[in-house]
Amino acid sequence: PSVVKIKFKPSLLNFALMIELEKEEPIAIICSNQCFYLGNHSYIYPEKINFAYLIIRSSLEIKPYSYLSPLLTLALTKIFEYSNLTTLPLKEVHLLSNYDLKLITAENKSILLDPHKDIDKQLKKLSYFLANYKKSDYFQLDLRIPNKIYFK
């Protein structure tokens, strides 16, 4: 179930057929009623869950052997990279019913992002905010509206 690509290569040396499998690599765990792996090619698949991965909580129903929007997977990948490169440790991510993302930090602060808009610009706004405001200045950030940062 986690195989995404199969390559067949003939071997002329011993007249055999070589088979290469490319497996889906998990990038997170996604949960609604049940938990599954979310792979790097947007596939959702069941296996014995290792909770060492970041958890994505979905308000939408998640089914095994289904497919998450590649746009959403790309946004999640960029968010994970950003989190690893900065001092913004994530505790979990919530996939909201309108497909927006709510990031929950280790300090229980929330950050709202829209994966259907330019995620790089939203992450730049987040960098700007974190560089210019104290962590105590907010408990929720909303970066979904272009050229604006809302916080409370």
Side-chain angles (χ1 to χ4, degrees), residues 2-144:
S2 61
V3 174
V4 292
K5 192 184 290 184
I6 301 173
K7 291 181 184 176
F8 296 101
K9 293 182 180 178
S11 174
L12 300 176
L13 183 61
N14 55 6
F15 300 105
L17 184 63
M18 304 295 290
I19 300 173
E20 287 183 22
L21 301 177
E22 185 178 331
K23 292 186 83 176
E24 187 80 7
E25 295 295 326
I27 60 169
I29 295 169
I30 189 163
C31 304
S32 55
N33 296 332
Q34 288 183 278
C35 292
F36 306 102
Y37 278 119
L38 171 62
N40 57 334
H41 294 96
S42 303
Y43 295 112
I44 297 168
Y45 60 98
E47 278 190 21
K48 186 177 178 186
I49 300 294
N50 171 359
F51 283 94
Y53 293 93
L54 181 69
I55 296 177
I56 301 168
R57 304 225 179 260
S58 176
S59 57
L60 305 167
E61 184 181 1
I62 301 296
K63 295 181 180 180
Y65 308 110
S66 60
Y67 188 70
L68 195 63
S69 158
L71 188 63
L72 200 51
T73 305
L74 177 64
L76 287 167
T77 301
K78 288 184 178 192
I79 290 164
F80 298 161
E81 288 172 2
Y82 180 87
S83 174
N84 288 332
L85 296 172
T86 63
T87 57
L88 185 71
L90 294 178
K91 185 163 83 174
E92 62 185 27
V93 176
H94 292 231
L95 176 59
L96 305 176
S97 58
N98 62 352
Y99 295 96
D100 284 352
L101 296 171
K102 181 178 184 180
L103 314 180
I104 307 296
T105 68
E107 298 161 336
N108 286 325
K109 297 181 184 289
S110 65
I111 301 165
L112 295 167
L113 300 168
D114 185 348
H116 298 97
K117 295 181 181 158
D118 189 339
I119 198 73
D120 292 319
K121 285 184 180 176
Q122 293 175 76
L123 292 174
K124 282 181 185 173
K125 289 194 299 187
L126 178 58
S127 292
Y128 172 82
F129 185 87
L130 294 176
N132 293 292
Y133 292 88
K134 291 183 250 169
K135 290 183 179 181
S136 60
D137 287 347
Y138 76 99
F139 65 90
Q140 182 174 6
L141 280 177
D142 189 345
L143 305 171
R144 298 174 292 180

